Amino acid sequence: MRLLIINPNISESVTALIETEARRAASPSTQITMQTAAFGVAYIETRFEALIGAYATAQLAAEHHAGHDAVIVAAFGDPGLAALREVLPVPALGLTESALATACLLGHRFSIIAISQRIRAWYREVVEANGLVGRLASIRALDRPLASIGNVQGEHEEALHALCERAVREDGAEVIVLAGAPLAGLGRTLHGRLPVPVVDGVSSAVRHAESLAALQPGKAIAGSFAPPPVKPNRGLPEALARLLDGRAPS
Amino acid sequence: MRLLIINPNISESVTALIETEARRAASPSTQITMQTAAFGVAYIETRFEALIGAYATAQLAAEHHAGHDAVIVAAFGDPGLAALREVLPVPALGLTESALATACLLGHRFSIIAISQRIRAWYREVVEANGLVGRLASIRALDRPLASIGNVQGEHEEALHALCERAVREDGAEVIVLAGAPLAGLGRTLHGRLPVPVVDGVSSAVRHAESLAALQPGKAIAGSFAPPPVKPNRGLPEALARLLDGRAPS
Amino acid sequence: MRLLIINPNISESVTALIETEARRAASPSTQITMQTAAFGVAYIETRFEALIGAYATAQLAAEHHAGHDAVIVAAFGDPGLAALREVLPVPALGLTESALATACLLGHRFSIIAISQRIRAWYREVVEANGLVGRLASIRALDRPLASIGNVQGEHEEALHALCERAVREDGAEVIVLAGAPLAGLGRTLHGRLPVPVVDGVSSAVRHAESLAALQPGKAIAGSFAPPPVKPNRGLPEALARLLDGRAPS
Amino acid sequence: MRLLIINPNISESVTALIETEARRAASPSTQITMQTAAFGVAYIETRFEALIGAYATAQLAAEHHAGHDAVIVAAFGDPGLAALREVLPVPALGLTESALATACLLGHRFSIIAISQRIRAWYREVVEANGLVGRLASIRALDRPLASIGNVQGEHEEALHALCERAVREDGAEVIVLAGAPLAGLGRTLHGRLPVPVVDGVSSAVRHAESLAALQPGKAIAGSFAPPPVKPNRGLPEALARLLDGRAPS
Amino acid sequence: MRLLIINPNISESVTALIETEARRAASPSTQITMQTAAFGVAYIETRFEALIGAYATAQLAAEHHAGHDAVIVAAFGDPGLAALREVLPVPALGLTESALATACLLGHRFSIIAISQRIRAWYREVVEANGLVGRLASIRALDRPLASIGNVQGEHEEALHALCERAVREDGAEVIVLAGAPLAGLGRTLHGRLPVPVVDGVSSAVRHAESLAALQPGKAIAGSFAPPPVKPNRGLPEALARLLDGRAPS
Amino acid sequence: MRLLIINPNISESVTALIETEARRAASPSTQITMQTAAFGVAYIETRFEALIGAYATAQLAAEHHAGHDAVIVAAFGDPGLAALREVLPVPALGLTESALATACLLGHRFSIIAISQRIRAWYREVVEANGLVGRLASIRALDRPLASIGNVQGEHEEALHALCERAVREDGAEVIVLAGAPLAGLGRTLHGRLPVPVVDGVSSAVRHAESLAALQPGKAIAGSFAPPPVKPNRGLPEALARLLDGRAPS
C-alpha cells in the first residue's frame, strides 16, 4: 500500500513530525511518500492561510498522486480536501475528518486541543462543515506564543496536558482530539496520563487510508464527488490541467 | 489481534454471513471469535427487538470479551453499543457507527439501503443519535417480504441495486451504506456497478477495530464512558455482575 | 383508570418515593399498581445500567400490563420506553418525556437538576433523543456522594435548592425539571421557594397517563410504533415471547 | 377547576365547535367559560391575521381571567400565547403547544393535518418556534375552498381522512395532529379509522390545563416569563393596563 | 425614495434617537416619515410588550404607508414585522432582521449587546426565529436600571463598551450588534474603539430599505407572504380592515 | 465609492454579464473596476473548480484592491470570500452571502435556481456554511447542457422561469434566488412574471457593498477576521506576500 502525505505548510520540521508519527502508525507494508508545500506559510491558523495551503496541496497532489493508493492532506482543517476528493482516482483523507471519525467511535462528545487561540474559530467552522458541531464539547487552545513550530510539544507539553484535563472536567469531553500536525505524536507522549481516550489526526488518517485501500469502496463517477465536467480551462499548472481534462498524469 | 464479534439476533445463517465478510475484511493476523445471541428474534427491525438484542449482546460480551482486543456488535442499529463502551476494557464498535464513520470519509451525504420498510424509522433514530442526520440523504428499503433472512442478497439483489441507483440519482447520495448484517458482503457483489462509493458495516467495523487496537487510544476512567460507579446490584447473570462490580472476568 | 408503574431499579425505597408522589398526583379514581425491577442496580446513572433496567422493565411490563390502562417507566432517562410503546396495547410513558412535555407548556427553556455528576451525560443524550436540546438551558447536578438513595432529598435539600437557583440566575432556565425518581416529591417541598415553575417526572407522568387514558388517541397498527412483525424468536421469558407473538397475556 | 377558553377569531360557529369538544374532554368538575374575539377575522391562516387575533385574545384574557385556574388560547398557531404566559397569574395554554406535547408522548414523528394550503407556512413556523421541527414528518392540508368554517369537518371528512392516511404511508407520521379549531372533534369521528394515534388540540389543551391546575408548578417571578417590569404605558384598554401595572383585575 | 419609520413604543425620546440615526444613514434623496406608537409601553423588553407594540405598529403602518417605498419597524425584536410583510405593498424591514443581515456580511458569529437582562430571552427567540442561532456567539446586556430610556447611551456608554469587549474576548464575537432603538447611533460613538465591526439596527434597516426600493424584487402574490385571502372580518380599525379587504388606503 | 468586482472564472462573457448588471444596480456615483481570473475554468460548478477560483481571486484582490472601498467575489458559492475578509482592509462580499442576506429580508424560506444539476451539492454546502439551511426550501437546476456560458439566459429562459414557478408551488419558496453570475440580470427579465420576490446575487452584492462603505462598520483587528498573525512565508506571488506581511500594496 503506497501513501502520499502532503504537508500544506512550508515547515520541513512539521513534515518531519508528521512523517515520524505516520511511520509509527502505519502497517509494516505501507510505503509513505512525504511532500511539503512549495509555497505558503509556516503554519496554518486562518482561512486565508488555508486558502493558500489548499492550492499548494492541490498542485502537489496533482503532480505526485500517481502510483499511490491514497492521499492524506496533513493539516488539521483539511485545506482542499473535499476538492481533491472530486479529482483524485484514489481516496483523499484529512487530519480533521480522520480524527473526528475515530473520535466518534470512542465517545459521544469530543474536545479539540489546539496550538493557538486564533486557530479556534477556523477549527470550529471545519467541525460545522463536517456536520458534527452537536458532538463538539469545546475547543481549547494554548494562549502563549510558539517559539518554534517544530517544538510546540516539547515547549508546551504541560500546558497542553492541562488543557486536556480541563476539557474533560469542565466541558464534558469524552474523547480528546489533539489537533494540528505540530502536535503529531503527542498522544503517545500523554499515553496513560489522560482520563479519556485520545485521538491524533495523523495516525488516524494513516489507519483510515489503509482501511480504505483495503476495502476498495470505489471512486464516484456520478454525484458531486465525480470528477468535474470537462470544460475549457486556462493558465493552470500542467498537473492541475491534466486532472481537470481527465488526462492521465504524466 | 483478537476480535469478538457478536450477532445480536438468533439467526446462525446471519452469523455465517457476518463471519464470511469479517474474515475477508480482516488483516491476516486478526483472529475472530463469533457469538450468536442465545435468545432473541430472527432479525432486528424495531426498538423492542433491539432492546432484547442489546441485553443478549451485553451478556455475551460480558462472558466472552476476556482475551480479545475489541468487540463488535454486529447488527446495524448498534443495540447496546454505547452501554458496552462504558464497561468493556477494550474498544466496542457497531455496524452503524462504523459504516457512518467510513462513509463520512468518502463524501458529504450518504444514503442507507435497508432490508424492510419497517426498519427505516429505527435506523433514522440511530443516525439522529449519532448526530449525523444533517448528512443523511435518504433511507431506502425493500418493500417485499423476505423469504429467508440468510438469503436476502440472493433473492433481492436487483431490487437492492435499484434502490442504490435511485438514492444517487434522486436523493443526492454521495456514498451508499448497505445496512444490516443480512447484507454483509453485498458491497463486493455490487463492486463496479455503483456510481458512488459503497460502504458495508461489517467490513468497516472490522477495519476500525483493528485500527483502534493498533492506535491504543486508551479506556475512559473519567467522564460518561468510564465504568459505572460501583453500587449494589441484584439478580444479574454472573458475568454482568462481575462487569458492574469491577471484578475481573472469570 | 388503572395504572402500572414500574421502577426500573431494584431499590424498594425508591419505589416507595415514586408511589407516594404518584398517589398524591393521581385523581381519586385512579388505581395504581407498583412493580420494582427483579434485577438490576440500586439506581441508574449510566447507559449500561439503563440497558439492564430496560430489560427488567420490559419483563415486568410484559407480565403485568394486562388489565391496566397505561404503563409508566419510572426512571428518568426512560429506559426501554420507546420499545415498550411498540408492543403494549396501552400508552407507555416515561419520567423524562413526561416532565419535558409539561415543562414545554410552562416556558421555552428548561434546566434539569440531577442527583450526580455522572448522570448528566446520559440525561443530555435523552434530551437529544427527544429532539429538545435546543430548549435545554443546562443540566446541573449534585457533586457529593449519596449516603442513601432513598433519602437524597432529605440529605441534600439545600444543595438541590441552590442548584435550581443557579440554573435560573446563570443559565436562563424558565422552568426547572427535578430529575430522577429519587427526587420524586421534592417539587412539593420546594413549592413557593423557587422563582420559576417546577416540574416533577412522576406527577407529570401520572397526569399525562390519565389524560391519554381519557383521550383515547388509539394504538398504532402501522408505522414504526406498530407491534413488531411476527417472526421466529427463541429463549425469551414467556411474557416477552407472548408480546412478540401477538398472543394475549396469560 | 375553572377554565377560560378564548377563540381568537370572530366565528361563533367555531367557538361552538371548541366548546363541544372541550366539554367532552373535560373532567366532570371542570367549569368552562367561552369567549370569542370581539374583533378580527373569520378564521386565522396567516401571520397578520394571527397578529390581530393575538391582540384580541390578550384583551379578552386580561378582562376575563380573574377567577379562572387556567386560560386556553383556542386557535392552532397559539396567537399571543407566550406573551400571555408572562402576565397571567395562572397557566396559559395553546392548541399547538398542547397538541405537540401530547403527540410527543405517543410517537417520535408527527404530521399535522390542516384546513388550507395557505396555513401551512405559518404552522411550520410555529413548530419551529417550539423547537420541534426535527420531529415534524409533514404538514398536509386541504386544497379546496371552505364553504363554511363551521362545517369543514362535515364537508371535507373524506379528504381529511385521506390526508391522514397519506401522512402515515408516505411521510412516516407516527402520530397525526388534527390542526385548527375548525377540526375540533374530528378525532372522535375518525376514531378507529386511522392506523396511528390521533391528537386534537382542544382536548389536549383542556386535559393539560387540568393537569397544570392540579400540579401547581408555580408562576414565574424571575426570568423571561415573570411579569414585565413595571414602566410607563399609555393608551391601552383598561384591562391591559392593569395587567402591565401589576394591579388586580377589576 | 420615501421611507416610513415606525417606533413601536410610546417614547418620543426614542423616536428622536431613531430619526437622528436614520437621517445620518440615509442617502440625501431619501425622505423619512416618523411615527410613534399611539399606545403601548415606554420601551419593549418582553413578549407581551411586543404583542402590544406589534398591534400599534400594524395600525400605524396601515394608516400611513401610502406614498412610501418601504416601511421600517424600528424596535429590535421586530414586533409585527412578518405580519406586515404579508399585507403591505412595499418592503417591510425590522431592526433585528436588518442588523443580522448586515452582521452576516461582516463575520461568521455575532454577539448582541442589549439594554437589560430581561430583554435577552426575547432577543434570543427572535434570533432563533430568524434561523440564525448557530451564528449567535452571545447576548450580553446591562444589568443596571435605566434612569432614562432616551439617554441610555449617555448614562451607560462605558458599561456598553465593556460588554462589547467581553463579547469579542470571551465569546468569540466576530461582529457586534448594538441592539435596540435606545442604542441607535452608539455605533458612531464607539467608532474606532472596538476590535471588530459594529452593526446598528437603524442604519442597517435604512440602507437595506433603500436597496430594496432600488432593486425592486417584487411583492409576493403567492405563497405565505401574499396578502391573506379575503374573508369576513369585524370590529377592526378602518385602516386594518382596508388592508385585509384589499382596498386601497383612503 | 469605488468597487472592485472579481470574476473567479476565466470567461470574459460572464464578466460582461456581471458588469452590465452591476452598473445597473449601482448608484450613479459608484465607480466599478472589473477583473477576470487570470487562470481557472470557464465556469465553476464543483469544489475543486472553486479551490482554483479562490486562489485566482485572492491574487487579483491582493493586486488590485488598493484604492477601492469594497471588493466583490462575483461567483455564486463565494470562492475565497471568508479568507479575503481576513486580509483585506475593506469589506469583502460574495454573490451567495449577499443574495441570501437580501432574501432573508423578503421572506422566511427561499429557493435557489441554478444552471446545472452538478452545481447543486456545492451550493447546498455553501448555504450550510452560512448556517441558513433551515431556511432553504430547495435548490432546482437546469438539466440540459449549456451551449454557451455567456448565453444561458437567452437559451434557457423558459426553463429557468418554469423552475422558479415549481419552487414556489411545490417547495414553498417565499423568495427566489437566481444563482450564479451567468444568470446576472435575469431577475430584470423575469420582473413581473414571478409570484414571489426575486433576488440576484450581483445586484445584491453591489448594493450591500455600497451600504457597508457608507456605514463604515470597521475592520476587525481582533478575533478570527483580523489579519493573520505575521509569520514566515515562502514562494508566494508578491501581492499575496505583501498582504500576509502586513505591508502596504505596491
Side-chain angles (χ1 to χ4, degrees):
Chain A
M1 194 268 174
R2 298 178 60 181
L3 185 53
L4 172 62
I5 303 180
I6 301 171
N7 175 10
N9 69 46
I10 58 171
S11 297
E12 297 287 352
S13 62
V14 174
T15 307
L17 281 169
I18 297 166
E19 183 169 10
T20 300
E21 179 60 19
R23 293 198 186 281
R24 280 175 172 166
S27 299
S29 63
T30 296
Q31 293 177 278
I32 293 175
T33 310
M34 300 297 302
Q35 291 288 339
T36 304
F39 55 91
V41 297
Y43 55 99
I44 300 175
E45 291 173 295
T46 82
R47 305 166 190 91
F48 190 72
E49 294 166 344
L51 179 155
I52 293 169
Y55 195 67
T57 299
Q59 286 197 30
L60 289 175
E63 290 163 9
H64 298 283
H65 74 275
H68 293 86
D69 300 297
V71 175
I72 292 176
V73 179
F76 215 82
D78 300 347
L81 176 61
L84 285 172
R85 193 163 283 148
E86 296 176 355
V87 292
L88 293 181
V90 294
L93 299 103
L95 299 202
T96 305
E97 261 193 26
S98 295
L100 299 193
T102 303
C104 287
L105 300 173
L106 294 164
H108 189 59
R109 301 178 82 215
F110 52 82
S111 283
I112 295 175
I113 306 301
I115 61 170
S116 75
Q117 292 295 308
R118 175 61 188 264
I119 216 167
R120 292 171 64 207
W122 175 45
Y123 281 179
R124 185 182 161 86
E125 289 175 18
V126 174
V127 176
E128 286 177 358
N130 277 269
L132 286 167
V133 82
R135 294 178 72 168
L136 179 66
S138 62
I139 303 178
R140 287 186 177 266
L142 294 174
D143 58 2
R144 283 172 288 185
L146 308 176
S148 155
I149 193 62
N151 190 28
V152 179
Q153 300 177 43
E155 198 182 350
H156 299 285
E157 181 182 323
E158 287 318 305
L160 289 160
H161 183 235
L163 291 173
C164 295
E165 292 280 1
R166 291 189 62 187
V168 174
R169 211 169 43 237
E170 298 178 25
D171 308 331
E174 295 157 353
V175 186
I176 293 292
V177 175
L178 297 173
L183 299 191
L186 178 63
R188 295 179 196 269
T189 312
L190 296 181
H191 195 265
R193 295 173 58 198
L194 289 178
V196 299
V198 60
V199 171
D200 165 84
V202 171
S203 56
S204 290
V206 168
R207 294 293 315 200
H208 288 310
E210 292 179 346
S211 292
L212 294 183
L215 294 173
Q216 299 267 8
K219 163 72 187 140
I221 56 172
S224 83
F225 285 99
V230 175
K231 67 185 65 156
N233 63 61
R234 187 176 69 210
L236 293 170
E238 169 65 10
L240 289 185
R242 277 181 181 276
L243 273 183
L244 283 171
D245 296 343
R247 288 179 282 150
S250 58
Chain B
M1 194 268 174
R2 299 179 59 183
L3 185 54
L4 173 62
I5 302 181
I6 300 171
N7 175 10
N9 69 45
I10 58 171
S11 297
E12 298 287 351
S13 62
V14 173
T15 306
L17 281 169
I18 297 166
E19 183 169 9
T20 301
E21 179 60 18
R23 292 198 186 282
R24 279 175 172 165
S27 299
S29 63
T30 296
Q31 293 177 280
I32 293 175
T33 309
M34 299 298 302
Q35 290 288 340
T36 305
F39 56 90
V41 297
Y43 56 99
I44 301 174
E45 291 173 295
T46 82
R47 305 166 191 92
F48 190 71
E49 294 167 345
L51 179 156
I52 293 169
Y55 195 67
T57 299
Q59 287 197 28
L60 289 174
E63 291 164 9
H64 297 283
H65 74 275
H68 293 86
D69 300 297
V71 175
I72 292 176
V73 179
F76 215 82
D78 301 347
L81 176 60
L84 285 172
R85 192 164 284 148
E86 296 176 356
V87 292
L88 294 180
V90 294
L93 299 103
L95 300 201
T96 305
E97 260 193 26
S98 295
L100 298 193
T102 304
C104 287
L105 300 173
L106 293 164
H108 189 59
R109 300 178 81 216
F110 51 83
S111 284
I112 294 175
I113 306 302
I115 62 171
S116 76
Q117 292 295 307
R118 176 60 189 264
I119 217 167
R120 292 170 64 207
W122 175 44
Y123 280 0
R124 184 182 161 86
E125 288 176 18
V126 174
V127 176
E128 286 178 0
N130 276 270
L132 285 167
V133 82
R135 295 177 72 168
L136 179 66
S138 63
I139 303 179
R140 288 186 175 266
L142 294 174
D143 58 1
R144 283 172 288 185
L146 308 176
S148 155
I149 193 62
N151 190 28
V152 179
Q153 299 177 43
E155 200 181 347
H156 299 284
E157 181 182 321
E158 287 319 305
L160 289 161
H161 182 236
L163 291 173
C164 295
E165 292 281 1
R166 291 189 62 189
V168 174
R169 210 168 45 237
E170 297 178 26
D171 308 330
E174 296 157 353
V175 186
I176 293 292
V177 175
L178 297 172
L183 300 190
L186 178 62
R188 294 179 198 268
T189 313
L190 297 181
H191 195 265
R193 295 173 59 199
L194 290 179
V196 299
V198 61
V199 171
D200 165 84
V202 172
S203 56
S204 290
V206 169
R207 295 293 315 197
H208 288 310
E210 291 180 348
S211 292
L212 294 183
L215 294 174
Q216 298 266 11
K219 163 72 186 139
I221 56 172
S224 83
F225 285 100
V230 175
K231 66 184 67 155
N233 63 63
R234 186 175 71 211
L236 293 170
E238 169 64 12
L240 290 185
R242 277 181 182 277
L243 272 183
L244 283 171
D245 296 343
R247 288 178 282 149
S250 56
Chain C
M1 194 270 175
R2 298 179 58 182
L3 185 54
L4 172 63
I5 302 180
I6 300 171
N7 175 9
N9 70 45
I10 58 171
S11 298
E12 298 287 352
S13 63
V14 174
T15 307
L17 281 170
I18 296 167
E19 183 169 9
T20 301
E21 179 60 19
R23 291 197 188 281
R24 280 176 173 164
S27 299
S29 63
T30 296
Q31 293 176 277
I32 294 175
T33 310
M34 298 298 302
Q35 291 289 338
T36 304
F39 56 89
V41 297
Y43 56 99
I44 300 175
E45 291 172 293
T46 82
R47 305 166 190 91
F48 189 73
E49 295 166 345
L51 179 155
I52 293 168
Y55 195 67
T57 299
Q59 287 196 28
L60 289 174
E63 290 163 10
H64 298 283
H65 74 274
H68 293 87
D69 301 297
V71 175
I72 292 176
V73 179
F76 215 82
D78 300 347
L81 176 59
L84 286 173
R85 194 164 283 149
E86 296 177 355
V87 291
L88 294 180
V90 294
L93 298 103
L95 301 201
T96 305
E97 261 193 27
S98 295
L100 299 193
T102 304
C104 287
L105 300 173
L106 293 164
H108 189 58
R109 300 179 81 215
F110 51 83
S111 284
I112 295 175
I113 306 301
I115 61 170
S116 76
Q117 291 296 307
R118 175 60 188 264
I119 217 167
R120 294 171 63 207
W122 175 45
Y123 281 178
R124 184 181 161 87
E125 289 175 19
V126 174
V127 176
E128 287 178 358
N130 276 271
L132 285 166
V133 82
R135 295 178 71 168
L136 178 66
S138 62
I139 304 178
R140 287 187 177 264
L142 294 175
D143 57 2
R144 283 172 289 184
L146 308 176
S148 155
I149 192 62
N151 190 27
V152 178
Q153 300 176 43
E155 200 181 349
H156 298 285
E157 181 182 323
E158 287 319 304
L160 289 160
H161 183 236
L163 291 173
C164 296
E165 292 280 1
R166 290 189 62 189
V168 174
R169 212 168 42 237
E170 297 178 26
D171 307 331
E174 295 158 354
V175 186
I176 293 292
V177 175
L178 297 172
L183 300 190
L186 178 62
R188 293 179 198 270
T189 313
L190 297 182
H191 195 265
R193 296 174 57 199
L194 289 178
V196 299
V198 61
V199 172
D200 165 84
V202 172
S203 56
S204 290
V206 168
R207 295 293 314 198
H208 288 310
E210 292 179 346
S211 292
L212 294 183
L215 294 174
Q216 299 267 8
K219 162 72 187 142
I221 56 172
S224 82
F225 285 99
V230 175
K231 66 184 67 156
N233 63 63
R234 188 176 69 211
L236 293 169
E238 169 63 13
L240 290 184
R242 278 181 181 276
L243 273 183
L244 283 171
D245 295 342
R247 287 179 282 151
S250 57
Chain D
M1 195 267 173
R2 299 179 58 183
L3 185 54
L4 173 62
I5 302 181
I6 300 171
N7 175 9
N9 68 46
I10 59 172
S11 297
E12 297 287 352
S13 62
V14 173
T15 306
L17 281 168
I18 297 167
E19 182 169 10
T20 301
E21 179 60 19
R23 293 198 185 281
R24 280 173 172 167
S27 299
S29 63
T30 295
Q31 292 177 280
I32 293 174
T33 310
M34 298 299 301
Q35 290 289 339
T36 304
F39 55 90
V41 297
Y43 55 100
I44 300 175
E45 292 174 293
T46 82
R47 305 167 190 89
F48 190 72
E49 294 166 345
L51 179 155
I52 293 168
Y55 194 68
T57 299
Q59 287 196 28
L60 289 174
E63 290 163 9
H64 298 283
H65 74 275
H68 293 86
D69 301 296
V71 175
I72 292 176
V73 179
F76 215 81
D78 300 347
L81 175 59
L84 285 172
R85 192 163 284 148
E86 295 176 355
V87 292
L88 293 180
V90 294
L93 299 103
L95 300 202
T96 304
E97 261 193 25
S98 295
L100 298 193
T102 303
C104 287
L105 300 173
L106 294 164
H108 189 60
R109 300 178 81 215
F110 52 82
S111 283
I112 295 175
I113 306 302
I115 61 170
S116 75
Q117 292 295 308
R118 175 60 189 264
I119 217 167
R120 293 171 64 207
W122 175 45
Y123 280 179
R124 184 182 162 86
E125 289 176 17
V126 175
V127 176
E128 286 178 358
N130 276 270
L132 286 167
V133 82
R135 295 178 72 168
L136 179 66
S138 62
I139 304 177
R140 286 185 177 267
L142 294 174
D143 57 2
R144 283 171 290 184
L146 308 176
S148 155
I149 193 61
N151 190 27
V152 178
Q153 301 177 43
E155 199 181 350
H156 299 283
E157 181 182 322
E158 287 319 304
L160 289 160
H161 182 237
L163 291 173
C164 295
E165 292 280 1
R166 290 189 63 189
V168 174
R169 210 167 45 236
E170 298 177 25
D171 308 331
E174 296 158 353
V175 186
I176 293 292
V177 175
L178 297 172
L183 300 189
L186 178 62
R188 295 179 195 269
T189 313
L190 297 181
H191 195 265
R193 295 173 59 199
L194 289 178
V196 299
V198 61
V199 171
D200 165 85
V202 172
S203 57
S204 290
V206 168
R207 295 293 314 197
H208 288 309
E210 292 179 347
S211 292
L212 294 183
L215 294 174
Q216 299 266 9
K219 163 71 186 140
I221 56 171
S224 83
F225 285 100
V230 174
K231 67 185 67 157
N233 63 62
R234 186 175 70 210
L236 293 169
E238 169 64 12
L240 289 184
R242 277 181 181 277
L243 273 183
L244 283 172
D245 296 343
R247 288 179 281 149
S250 58
Chain E
M1 195 268 175
R2 298 179 58 182
L3 185 54
L4 172 63
I5 302 181
I6 301 171
N7 175 11
N9 70 46
I10 59 172
S11 298
E12 298 287 352
S13 62
V14 174
T15 306
L17 281 169
I18 297 166
E19 182 168 9
T20 300
E21 179 60 19
R23 292 198 186 281
R24 280 174 172 165
S27 299
S29 63
T30 296
Q31 294 177 277
I32 293 174
T33 309
M34 298 299 301
Q35 289 289 340
T36 304
F39 55 91
V41 297
Y43 56 99
I44 300 174
E45 291 173 294
T46 82
R47 304 167 190 91
F48 189 72
E49 295 166 343
L51 179 155
I52 294 169
Y55 194 68
T57 299
Q59 286 196 29
L60 289 175
E63 290 164 9
H64 298 283
H65 74 274
H68 294 86
D69 300 296
V71 175
I72 292 176
V73 178
F76 215 82
D78 299 348
L81 176 61
L84 285 173
R85 192 164 284 148
E86 296 177 354
V87 292
L88 294 180
V90 293
L93 300 103
L95 300 202
T96 305
E97 260 192 28
S98 295
L100 299 193
T102 303
C104 288
L105 300 173
L106 293 164
H108 189 58
R109 300 178 82 216
F110 51 84
S111 284
I112 294 175
I113 306 301
I115 61 170
S116 75
Q117 291 295 308
R118 176 61 188 264
I119 217 168
R120 293 172 63 207
W122 175 45
Y123 280 179
R124 184 182 162 87
E125 289 175 18
V126 174
V127 176
E128 287 178 358
N130 277 270
L132 286 167
V133 82
R135 294 178 72 168
L136 178 66
S138 63
I139 303 178
R140 288 186 176 267
L142 293 175
D143 57 2
R144 284 172 289 185
L146 307 176
S148 155
I149 194 61
N151 190 27
V152 179
Q153 301 177 43
E155 199 181 349
H156 298 284
E157 181 181 324
E158 287 318 304
L160 289 161
H161 182 237
L163 291 172
C164 296
E165 292 279 1
R166 290 189 62 188
V168 174
R169 210 168 45 236
E170 298 178 24
D171 308 331
E174 296 158 353
V175 186
I176 293 292
V177 174
L178 297 171
L183 300 190
L186 178 62
R188 295 180 196 269
T189 313
L190 296 181
H191 196 266
R193 294 174 58 198
L194 289 178
V196 299
V198 61
V199 171
D200 165 85
V202 172
S203 57
S204 290
V206 168
R207 295 294 314 199
H208 289 310
E210 292 179 346
S211 292
L212 294 183
L215 294 173
Q216 298 266 7
K219 163 72 187 140
I221 57 173
S224 82
F225 286 99
V230 175
K231 67 184 67 158
N233 63 62
R234 188 176 68 211
L236 293 170
E238 170 64 12
L240 289 185
R242 277 181 181 276
L243 273 184
L244 283 171
D245 296 342
R247 288 179 282 149
S250 58
Chain F
M1 195 268 173
R2 299 178 59 182
L3 185 53
L4 172 62
I5 302 180
I6 300 171
N7 175 9
N9 70 44
I10 58 172
S11 297
E12 297 287 352
S13 63
V14 174
T15 306
L17 281 169
I18 297 166
E19 182 169 8
T20 301
E21 179 60 19
R23 292 198 186 281
R24 280 174 171 165
S27 299
S29 63
T30 295
Q31 293 176 279
I32 293 175
T33 310
M34 298 299 301
Q35 290 289 339
T36 305
F39 55 90
V41 297
Y43 56 100
I44 299 175
E45 291 173 293
T46 82
R47 305 167 190 90
F48 190 72
E49 295 167 344
L51 179 156
I52 293 169
Y55 195 67
T57 299
Q59 286 197 27
L60 289 174
E63 290 163 9
H64 298 284
H65 74 274
H68 294 86
D69 300 297
V71 174
I72 292 176
V73 178
F76 215 81
D78 299 347
L81 176 61
L84 285 173
R85 192 164 285 149
E86 296 176 356
V87 292
L88 294 180
V90 294
L93 299 104
L95 299 202
T96 305
E97 260 193 26
S98 295
L100 300 192
T102 304
C104 287
L105 299 173
L106 293 164
H108 189 59
R109 300 179 82 217
F110 51 82
S111 285
I112 295 175
I113 306 302
I115 62 170
S116 76
Q117 291 294 309
R118 175 61 188 261
I119 216 166
R120 293 171 63 207
W122 174 46
Y123 281 179
R124 185 182 161 86
E125 289 176 18
V126 174
V127 176
E128 287 178 359
N130 277 270
L132 285 166
V133 81
R135 295 178 72 168
L136 179 66
S138 62
I139 303 178
R140 288 186 176 267
L142 293 174
D143 57 2
R144 283 172 288 185
L146 308 176
S148 155
I149 193 60
N151 190 28
V152 179
Q153 300 177 43
E155 199 182 348
H156 299 283
E157 181 181 322
E158 287 319 305
L160 289 160
H161 183 237
L163 290 173
C164 295
E165 291 280 1
R166 290 189 63 189
V168 174
R169 212 170 42 238
E170 298 178 25
D171 308 330
E174 296 157 353
V175 186
I176 293 291
V177 175
L178 298 171
L183 300 189
L186 178 63
R188 294 179 196 270
T189 312
L190 298 181
H191 195 265
R193 295 173 58 199
L194 289 178
V196 299
V198 60
V199 171
D200 166 84
V202 172
S203 56
S204 290
V206 168
R207 293 294 313 198
H208 289 308
E210 291 179 347
S211 292
L212 294 183
L215 294 173
Q216 300 267 9
K219 163 71 186 142
I221 57 171
S224 83
F225 285 100
V230 175
K231 65 184 68 157
N233 63 62
R234 186 174 72 210
L236 294 169
E238 169 64 12
L240 290 185
R242 277 181 181 277
L243 272 184
L244 283 171
D245 296 342
R247 287 178 282 150
S250 58

